[in-house]
Amino acid sequence: MSDQTNNILDEVTKGEYKFGFYTDIENDLAPRGLTEDTIRFISAKKEEPEWMLEFRLKAFRHWQTLEEPEWAHLHHPPIDFQGIIYFAAPKKKPQLSSLDEVDPELLETFDKLGISLDEQKRLAGVAVDAVIDSVSVKTTFQDTLAKHGIIFCSFSEAVKNHPELVKKYMGTVVPYTDNYYAALNSAVFSDGSFCYIPKGVRSPLELSTYFRINAANTGQFERTLIVAEAGGYVSYMEGCTAPMRDENQLHAAIVEIITMDNAEVKYSTVQNWYPGDKQGKGGVYNFVTKRGLCKGNRSKISWTQVETGSSITWKYPSCVLMGDNSIGEFYSVAVTNNFQQADTGTKMIHLGKNTRSTIISKGISAGKSNNSYRGLVKIMPGAINSRNFSQCDSLLLGDKCGAHTFPYIDTRNQSSIVEHEATTSKISEDQLFYCNQRGIDTEKAIGLIVNGYAKEVLNKLPMEFAVEAQKLLSITLEGSVG
Amino acid sequence: MLLNIKNLTVAIEGKEIIKGLNLQVNKGEVHAIMGPNGTGKSTLAAAITGREGYEVTEGEIWYKDQNIIEMDADERANLGIFLSFQYPVEIPGVSMTNFMRTAINAQREYRGLPPMPAGEFLKLMEEKKKLVDIHSKLTNRSVNEGFSGGEKKKNEIFQMALLEPTLAILDETDSGLDIDALRTVAKGVNELRSEENAFVVITHYQRLLEYIVPDFVHVMYDGKIVKSGSKNLALELEDKGYEWLKEQSLV
């Protein structure tokens, strides 16, 4: 690409983070650092039963024996795990019956984010469980869902009100021994969402949760558990933005999904945490373990993600295809700009017969960023006649960014078929001029081309999210790419 | 005068391609520019439309009473200059509908108009499709992706019909067209001709000019217009070949 084009790319990529604001809400903070006392403090604050505390402590003791993984294509200064505050909750306790009772400042924050918690959501068919910092502030439409027998609540509430379900499923897909960050999360997780779809029930609403990191130096450790019993169906959406901050913030979440016979869960994410400034200062470190278990026959788990934020993303939403004829899908758009780094992809583990998986990954790199796809397709001996199709595309904007693909394929039977396709492309000057010549300026043109490139994945998002995600792609690349 | 090019010199990477060219185009006129390969015809189109990398080292391009040589390509487009590309590019994943809606609304925004309502836009699309005999399917596909050569050229004229430019430059729109497609394209152009716009038709062959009858024919050779005349010049050229012209320019 010519220098001129690069200059344009630079200009456009220089857009500042649009959600950089900070809400001053008094926090109930844990002491800085991580010891068994910290964990007891968190557990006590949350009024947890003894078994939950024991789970946390076991995870913590295991975590202490682990080393941070270094295999990812990521570079960052060492994280001071003792310098982090592991629990923060808004002081004004939010067990409220209407929006009037919610802290007005909080509502203002939601407004800035474009989140409306009001009844309009209901018309749009969306229930929202909004998480600010670590405690669920408000859960809407629980009643509607309850009529169908669906449980949708904060993880803390689930521990209190549905301990038998939490005990039965928590840690069965992502055990605390799974990896460094999973162990950390299991020890200190703050809150998150719990969703249970009973047998034969299709959720009448799209469930969505907005996460948001607030409070300086506060790690955020979400934990989500979704269980769909036989024949159940739910589409779950998770979206995030975080305020501007100078110090790096650590985020290590766990999401577990379990589907029984004929059940289906669609999990969609739009992630837009603070990516750091143009010089690469600040930004969220996002180390996430997301995994779904297709336990039942003919069950299906579908991950769709649009990752535009965070200075570091380490995330591999995966599917374990245990049931015969089960299906796993992974659709991803990951955008990196300035100095962002992303190492993301998926794992498809085929155990059952006739299992199928699809991977569509679209990486977009701009500025001086690095974007890696890392994926594993593993076909076990019993997974006869299973199939995988993977497509990994990279789009480069400018000539100072990097795109990398690390596909791992491990096939242990003769009857299965695995396909992998990969492309790397650039936005060409010809395409930009073509758009310019029709009156479309370069910034809009890049938004148009990038959205076209990512369309296959964006189409998988629920309608409301797709529109947001399209805007987000353009905003993220503003001042970086046309 | 709509377009007035004065003593234009254009270089690509330091190499002079156009060497002191003059051209005047008034509203209501159709000008044909002919000439052998490599004489600078497409470079002229690129210079008028403001493509990067085409450096105007001398001279002026006046359009609607302003010198536009410093203007970005998108602004020139918004002022009503349209280029029908010789090689239209593909933009995967961007539907023609979305692309044209973005373009029309960008041009409307430039003119201080609100975005066109979706219903009105779709109606306009239907109307213009008929003009160039484009199938509905094509407009649902990605921009130029998987289009045949003829479909791509029809698609250019379709875009022109939607944008209604004041000055349209057709860069070898006839190349790669069979006779039916050529007729369709010409029909589209002829229906768009009016007293309020002008066309510059770049072509190798006289064939296109049987269908789009020009008011003036200019012959380009080695970066200059070496001969201008009426539509009969095209016939003469067809008859005598470009060698004849070479002799003329040497004289």
Side-chain angles (χ1 to χ4, degrees), chain A residues 2 4-5 8 429-431 433-441 444 448-449 452-453 455, chain B residues 49 51-52 74 77-78 81-83 85 89-90 92-94 103 106-107 109 144 156 159:
Chain A
S2 72
Q4 212 158 359
T5 312
I8 294 167
E429 279 180 80
D430 285 349
Q431 286 173 326
F433 179 62
Y434 195 76
C435 295
N436 288 160
Q437 213 302 306
R438 299 303 184 245
I440 302 167
D441 65 39
K444 275 204 199 89
L448 195 67
I449 294 166
Y453 164 81
K455 192 175 172 186
Chain B
T49 50
R51 180 156 200 166
E52 277 177 27
D74 54 304
N78 285 325
I81 300 178
F82 179 90
L83 174 64
F85 284 70
V89 292
E90 299 182 358
V94 179
Q107 299 209 3
E109 190 184 335
N144 292 319
E156 294 292 294
Q159 293 177 45

Side-chain angles (χ1 to χ4, degrees), chain B residues 33-249:
Chain B
I33 296 183
M34 301 183 73
N37 276 328
T39 51
K41 300 191 299 295
S42 289
T43 302
L44 176 62
I48 298 171
T49 50
R51 180 156 200 166
E52 277 177 27
Y54 291 75
E55 198 193 343
V56 174
T57 49
E58 242 187 283
E60 292 163 4
I61 302 174
W62 288 80
Y63 171 77
K64 288 185 180 170
D65 302 321
Q66 47 184 327
N67 187 359
I68 58 169
I69 58 167
E70 295 296 334
M71 235 177 238
D72 287 340
D74 54 304
E75 194 174 357
R76 298 188 204 197
N78 285 325
L79 285 172
I81 300 178
F82 179 90
L83 174 64
S84 169
F85 284 70
Q86 186 177 1
Y87 305 108
V89 292
E90 299 182 358
I91 308 178
V94 179
S95 71
M96 270 311 297
T97 307
N98 186 17
F99 180 69
M100 285 320 294
R101 203 169 160 206
T102 307
I104 281 184
N105 285 335
Q107 299 209 3
R108 286 175 67 96
E109 190 184 335
Y110 185 84
R111 289 161 202 159
L113 296 169
M116 187 180 278
E120 194 181 321
F121 173 74
L122 291 174
K123 224 173 100 188
L124 188 67
M125 289 257 292
E126 285 312 311
E127 185 188 310
K128 302 296 185 184
K129 266 184 211 168
K130 283 179 204 142
L131 190 72
V132 283
D133 191 23
I134 269 195
H135 299 292
S136 296
K137 273 189 293 182
L138 280 189
T139 50
N140 294 331
R141 299 229 302 259
S142 297
V143 178
N144 292 319
E145 202 178 41
F147 286 32
S148 72
E151 283 167 346
K152 280 184 184 172
K153 295 299 175 75
K154 277 192 203 173
N155 191 25
E156 294 292 294
I157 303 304
F158 170 62
Q159 293 177 45
M160 180 172 82
L162 278 171
L163 293 171
E164 297 181 336
T166 313
L167 174 66
I169 302 161
L170 275 53
D171 189 4
E172 306 220 4
T173 299
D174 52 334
S175 66
L177 286 191
D178 61 35
I179 195 72
D180 290 335
L182 187 73
R183 281 199 184 117
T184 309
V185 162
K187 187 184 118 223
V189 172
N190 287 329
E191 285 190 27
L192 293 169
R193 275 173 88 159
S194 81
E195 285 308 306
E196 288 309 308
N197 59 30
F199 290 81
V200 174
V201 180
I202 295 171
T203 180
H204 272 297
Y205 305 107
Q206 187 266 341
R207 190 179 67 156
L208 178 67
L209 305 181
E210 286 174 19
Y211 299 97
I212 304 172
V213 181
D215 300 299
F216 302 94
V217 174
H218 309 278
V219 181
M220 246 183 112
Y221 187 76
D222 193 24
K224 280 187 204 118
I225 288 175
V226 292
K227 201 168 176 64
S228 298
S230 70
K231 63 181 181 189
N232 294 329
L233 178 59
L235 292 170
E236 197 177 353
L237 207 59
E238 182 96 334
D239 200 31
K240 296 180 178 167
Y242 287 119
E243 282 302 310
W244 159 70
L245 207 130
K246 217 184 264 182
E247 287 157 27
Q248 295 246 316
S249 71

Side-chain angles (χ1 to χ4, degrees), chain A residues 17-38:
Chain A
Y17 186 68
K18 298 242 157 113
F19 299 118
F21 47 82
Y22 167 67
T23 311
D24 189 17
I25 295 170
E26 283 181 83
N27 285 298
D28 209 347
L29 299 176
R32 202 177 285 271
L34 186 52
T35 63
E36 287 206 4
D37 286 344
T38 320

